Structures are given as C-alpha cells and as structure tokens.
Amino acid sequence: MIESKQIYYHDYHELKSLAEEWGVTLFGVGDVRDILNTFELLPKDISDGLVYGISMGIRLSGRIMESIKDGPTKLYYYHYRRVNIALDQVAIMITNHIQRSNFNALPIPSSQTIDWENQRAHLSHKAIGVMAGIGWIGRNNLLVNRDHGSLVRYVTVLTDMPLKVDSPSKEDCGECTECMKICPVGAIKESFNDYNRDLCLERLKWFSKKYHIGHYICGICVKVCKGKKPL
Ligand code: SF4
Ligand code: SF4
C-alpha cells in the first residue's frame, strides 16, 4: 500500500513539473467525485470513472491587463485567445503523458462556454480549481488565487490516474471589495452568490459590439483582483 502511494505521489510531481516546464503557473489536483453531477453537458460514458481533476492555470501578462481602462482592448483579446490555446496545448500533452501510462484522460478546453445565455459549459474550471486547492470563488464570480488573484486562466484534465489530491482552499475575499467598486454595471455584490450574471452578460455583449471584439470579454474585474498578495 505504501509502495503504491509513493508511485502516485511520483506521478503528481512528475505531471506538475512537466506542466510547469510547458508554461503552467498554477497546478493542482482535486477529487471531483462530489461535483460529478454538475458536469451536465459531459456524456456519462465519456467521463465515467474520471474522478481526478487536474487544474492548470497560466497567468496573464500584467502589462496587457494594465491596457484595460474602461473596457477590453484588442491586445487583451488576442492575449486571452493565445493563453487559452497555450492551456489547451498543455492539456493535450498532459493527456498524452497519462495515456502513455495506460490511464484515461479527458482534456476540457479552456474557453468552452457552449450556451452563453445560460452560461453553460461541459464543466466549471473554477469548481475544479477550488477542489484542487488553487483558490476560492471570489465576489467577481471568478477563481481567485492568493498569489495571482483572478489574473489566471485555467484548463482541466479529468483522469482515472490515481493521483495525490490537494485540499480545497478555505480562504475567501476577506475585506477586499475592489471588484465591487469598479464593475461598470454593479453586477458584483458582497457575496458571490448574489453576483448578477445577466447584468454582466449584457455589458459583455455591449463591449463586444462597441470594440468590435468577436467574443464576450471584459477584463475589468480580472485586472483589479490581485488576491492576498498584491503584486
Ligand atoms: S466582467 Fe466586467 S461587467 Fe462583468 S462583473 Fe466583471 S467588471 Fe462587471
Ligand atoms: S477583487 Fe477582491 S473582492 Fe473581488 S474577487 Fe478579488 S479578492 Fe475578491
């Protein structure tokens, strides 16, 4: 038993160092059994038995985020897309690495909202990130990491490779209200449970038209969220 545990620990650290070598800033693994029923758009036969969620994040460029004043910029849009592609590439490489060890792995694309009106996706990268100890759900309804705030984008790989799991984060936003103060439509409230996704979505649509960006992005509440350790 002790011997097999050591093998799992070795796999965790091996995957983590490979991911970091490929550009990942944050890495964690969560036991996702308790949130399997929220993977509503993933066919059961595809996700069956994949109870470990590998959460990986790449930090956004601070200088590009500084370009955001009162709405998304083209620079942010291109960066956002490139970071998503980089995450998807890392997820594919981690998937192949796991499969070479004769386990199953399922990469979930980083930006994969299928139904924007209802904000539905295959799974929530944020929820996996919480289970993997990466951070907590902030007032801005995003995953917040203590060192990097919300300035990170994420991808998930589900697997049945039995890995060491991290403990879910027990932190929260504390006294910080930076995102509440700056949201142009007042969508962010004291509790993330009261976050108004309709107000936010309307503003994203407006930005998309105003700045001719073919995507629903904003970046304002991402930019100001610096977690517990301001950079
Ligand atoms: S993305 Fe923009 S509109 Fe939506 S909550 Fe954040 S700051 Fe407000
Ligand atoms: S800006 Fe502050 S209040 Fe808003 S999500 Fe980040 S840590 Fe929480």
Side-chain angles (χ1 to χ4, degrees):
M1 188 65 191
I2 290 171
E3 198 181 329
S4 57
K5 239 185 182 175
Q6 280 170 347
I7 291 169
Y8 303 159
Y9 271 60
H10 174 70
D11 287 335
Y12 177 101
H13 292 296
E14 186 181 7
L15 290 179
K16 183 173 185 216
S17 61
L18 280 173
E20 286 172 349
E21 208 174 289
W22 294 329
V24 160
T25 315
L26 296 171
F27 179 99
V29 178
D31 182 329
V32 300
R33 267 171 267 237
D34 286 350
I35 56 170
L36 281 177
N37 61 352
T38 66
F39 301 173
E40 48 187 311
L41 299 181
L42 266 187
K44 291 257 177 306
D45 54 334
I46 302 297
S47 58
D48 193 35
L50 307 183
V51 297
Y52 298 91
I54 302 172
S55 178
M56 295 176 284
I58 293 181
R59 196 193 186 285
L60 295 162
S61 156
R63 286 298 175 100
I64 287 181
M65 297 314 290
E66 288 307 317
S67 75
I68 296 170
K69 303 295 181 210
D70 50 10
T73 60
K74 281 270 162 68
L75 203 52
Y76 174 51
Y77 168 62
Y78 292 122
H79 184 53
Y80 174 97
R81 291 187 59 192
R82 295 310 306 179
V83 170
N84 286 345
I85 291 167
L87 283 164
D88 290 341
Q89 283 174 335
V90 174
I92 290 166
M93 291 192 283
I94 290 289
T95 294
N96 282 329
H97 189 81
I98 292 171
Q99 288 179 159
R100 276 197 294 276
S101 304
N102 293 322
F103 290 100
N104 294 295
L106 174 64
I108 308 294
S110 62
S111 191
Q112 39 89 51
T113 304
I114 290 169
D115 173 357
W116 270 102
E117 293 306 322
N118 298 304
Q119 304 257 309
R120 292 190 339 141
H122 285 118
L123 55 68
S124 162
H125 295 298
K126 293 182 291 187
I128 304 283
V130 171
M131 303 304 280
I134 299 261
W136 65 93
I137 303 299
R139 292 194 168 93
N140 59 5
N141 198 38
L142 298 172
L143 184 59
V144 182
N145 171 261
R146 75 169 353 261
D147 295 334
H148 301 282
S150 294
L151 295 160
V152 180
R153 294 204 51 75
Y154 295 93
V155 73
T156 301
V157 175
L158 297 176
T159 182
D160 54 8
M161 175 183 260
L163 296 163
K164 170 182 97 77
V165 293
D166 295 288
S167 304
S169 166
K170 291 197 168 56
E171 291 186 287
D172 60 28
C173 294
E175 299 300 310
C176 179
T177 55
E178 291 304 310
C179 55
M180 268 176 77
K181 289 188 278 193
I182 204 162
C183 174
V185 291
I188 303 173
K189 313 290 181 194
E190 193 72 37
S191 163
F192 73 83
N193 289 318
D194 299 325
Y195 160 78
N196 190 322
R197 72 178 67 245
D198 294 335
L199 276 179
C200 175
L201 181 59
E202 283 314 305
R203 179 48 62 125
L204 300 194
K205 288 179 180 171
W206 186 79
F207 279 147
S208 173
K209 273 194 192 147
K210 181 176 182 195
Y211 296 112
H212 307 291
I213 292 173
H215 213 86
Y216 293 160
I217 55 171
C218 168
I220 295 174
C221 62
V222 174
K223 173 189 169 178
V224 298
C225 182
K226 309 232 163 113
K228 302 275 182 188
K229 284 188 187 168
L231 301 170

